[in-house]
Amino acid sequence: MPLAVYLLGLGIFAQGTSEFMLSGLLPQIAADLGVSIPDAGLLISAFALGMVIGAPALAVATLRVPRRTALVAFQLVFVAGHVAGALAPGYGVLFASRVVSALAYAGFWAVAAATAVSLVPPGAKGKVLSVVGTGLTLATVVGVPAGTVLSQHAGWRTAFWGVAGLTVLSALSLLAVLPAGRATGTELPSVRREVAGLARPALWVSYLVTLLTFGAAVVTFSYLAPLLTEVSGLPEGWVPVVLSLYGVGGLVGVTLGGRFADAAPLRTLALGGGALTLASALLALTAGNLGITVALVFVLGLTGYVVNPVVQSRVFPLAPDAPTLVPAVNTSAFNVGIMLTPMLGGLTIDAGFGFASVAWVGAATGALALAATAWAAVLQGRGVRGPAGEAGAADSPAPHVRSAASRTAASRASVPRASVSSTVAPRTVTSRRVVPPARPAATAAPCAASTSSVTSPAPSAPATSSEPACHPAC
């Protein structure tokens, strides 16, 4: 795996830490800036909204910019947003800094995915994206707890400075490793071609799968802390440990998903989505049992992230004409899921169904994700895909698609032997040993091989002639 892939993962780790760390900083931010906790919570929604808008918009805006330049520029804007946030005198400046940071992070995600895929062979897309995605998983395991501890000892602004410093380190490493400019011989990107490349039904079904699978994974996690303390009876001091357990499960899941994403994408989606739906339903039923709940938290992390490499890699072969815009829209689909399902979970809590009801929302969303996956399988079976074919076609190959070799063989078999030039001298084929007669070097005839003696008439020797001789190049 190229070193640049791991450094792209480092960039995702730094910026992903900022995406999730506010969940542990809200009380301090609210107290320092004199706002309510719900108002402070809007900072999380602002970040998600910036991700939804920023990914496709900035992918198009920087389409003809060399990827190294775009990646580093996005990181510098992200750093500037966090410096502004760390120095923010009030809520308004902090809110604006979160939107700007989210826009830059979204652009980085989209270009990083396209860059990582371009560095490896086509059959390794899922594996390379799992490595990049591991940066986000590690952000939940290491980055978010570290940011929480740092803010508890030195204030919430220190966490912003820490993220800014780590992002600078990532930008410098990418400057040192990624090549400048464009690869020689590559076609200049076209906005029109990229936008036209999105007009494929199977691609948008895949985006729907992305939205639903990640939405099903994130809704329970969003309310996991109050569920653990209010329903399961977990002491508050143990909440970070259990949240880290979720991250460990996610790390295991994204690693497993990377191994199977290219070979069996639809089966990985179906098995992962089915297990996620089942685990969510079990959690809703057994949330009052602390031991079972803690075990299911690990399972939720594993099943929620095992599908991550698949939903990221599967979109590329569906629209090969849009290698930059395709992952950008997929990033937006992720964040639409992050925005919508927690809102639905909040509605069930406000309706009086309790914190465990969010797990039912996760189970229902997971069931919809399975239905969308089945729809994607039907489209793949019908051959509704991009010109280059879909990754993982072995899951459900289109029955009417034949290889070029099989078509060539069929066309050769249909050519009558009488049409072979009579100027070719006879020869005898016994088993696979071919004994050609002397003939002019320029004369060549189609190949034919047989496992038994074959004779056919020719004008020059009616009684003993056989099939035409093979050209030596055959």
Side-chain angles (χ1 to χ4, degrees):
M1 193 69 66
L3 175 62
V5 173
Y6 295 98
L7 295 179
L8 290 170
L10 174 63
I12 296 299
F13 169 76
Q15 297 172 77
T17 296
S18 176
E19 180 180 7
F20 293 110
M21 74 180 182
L22 255 64
S23 59
L25 308 181
L26 290 185
Q28 297 181 46
I29 292 174
D32 186 32
L33 300 181
V35 297
S36 66
I37 289 183
D39 285 341
L42 291 177
L43 296 171
I44 300 175
S45 299
F47 198 94
L49 181 61
M51 289 284 289
V52 172
I53 298 172
L58 290 176
V60 170
T62 60
L63 189 61
R64 297 199 173 193
V65 178
R67 284 173 174 166
R68 187 183 76 168
T69 303
L71 289 168
V72 174
F74 287 140
Q75 288 182 302
L76 293 179
V77 173
F78 185 85
V79 169
H82 277 66
V83 170
L87 300 174
Y91 178 79
V93 174
L94 182 58
F95 189 95
S97 73
R98 294 302 288 172
V99 174
V100 171
S101 298
L103 291 171
Y105 178 37
F108 182 88
W109 239 125
V111 179
T115 303
V117 166
S118 70
L119 296 174
V120 297
K125 287 185 175 69
K127 185 176 182 180
V128 74
L129 288 173
S130 74
V131 173
V132 176
T134 299
L136 185 60
T137 309
L138 287 175
T140 64
V141 178
V142 179
V144 173
T148 302
V149 171
L150 189 63
S151 66
Q152 289 174 347
H153 290 83
W156 65 269
R157 297 175 189 271
T158 308
F160 276 68
W161 286 113
V163 168
L166 189 58
T167 305
V168 169
L169 178 63
S170 171
L172 292 175
S173 67
L174 290 179
L175 275 175
V177 172
L178 286 178
R182 295 189 175 277
T184 57
T186 57
E187 188 177 4
L188 193 65
S190 165
V191 174
R192 179 178 298 179
R193 185 170 60 248
E194 292 251 351
V195 173
L198 299 180
R200 290 178 170 88
L203 177 64
W204 289 93
V205 173
S206 188
Y207 287 149
L208 180 62
V209 173
T210 297
L211 187 159
L212 292 172
T213 52
F214 203 69
V218 77
V219 59
T220 307
F221 177 76
S222 300
Y223 298 94
L224 201 52
L227 187 151
L228 289 168
T229 56
E230 300 295 330
V231 181
S232 303
L234 182 72
E236 189 173 353
W238 285 93
V239 169
V241 177
V242 178
L243 293 180
S244 296
L245 184 63
Y246 177 93
V248 172
L251 183 60
V252 174
V254 77
T255 304
L256 290 175
R259 295 184 61 182
F260 300 105
D262 297 305
L266 290 176
R267 273 173 280 183
T268 304
L269 279 175
L271 292 174
L276 174 62
T277 302
L278 180 60
S280 298
L282 287 175
L283 181 61
L285 293 171
T286 63
N289 187 307
L290 180 58
I292 296 177
T293 299
V294 170
L296 287 174
V297 167
F298 175 83
V299 176
L300 284 175
L302 191 155
T303 56
Y305 278 88
V306 73
V307 298
N308 192 289
V310 180
V311 295
Q312 290 196 67
S313 63
R314 192 173 177 271
V315 295
F316 282 94
L318 290 175
D321 296 334
T324 301
L325 199 51
V326 158
V329 178
N330 206 35
T331 299
S332 294
F334 271 106
N335 285 276
V336 170
I338 292 174
M339 289 175 59
L340 290 183
T341 53
M343 289 174 57
L344 293 175
L347 290 176
T348 63
I349 295 171
D350 291 338
F353 293 106
F355 289 109
S357 64
V358 298
W360 284 121
V361 176
T365 308
L368 291 176
L370 287 174
T373 301
W375 187 7
V378 170
L379 291 179
Q380 178 172 307
R382 292 176 179 174
V384 182
R385 63 188 72 190
E390 183 179 353
D395 276 338
S396 178
H400 63 281
V401 178
R402 296 188 301 167
S403 66
S406 63
R407 290 194 298 268
T408 303
S411 62
R412 285 181 174 177
S414 65
V415 177
R417 292 177 180 174
S419 64
V420 179
S421 173
S422 60
T423 62
V424 180
R427 55 97 169 139
T428 301
V429 180
T430 303
S431 297
R432 288 190 179 273
R433 185 168 177 270
V434 181
V435 184
R439 56 177 175 151
T443 304
C447 284
S450 174
T451 58
S452 60
S453 296
V454 181
T455 59
S456 59
S460 58
T464 60
S465 63
S466 63
E467 285 183 320
C470 281
H471 191 283
C474 300

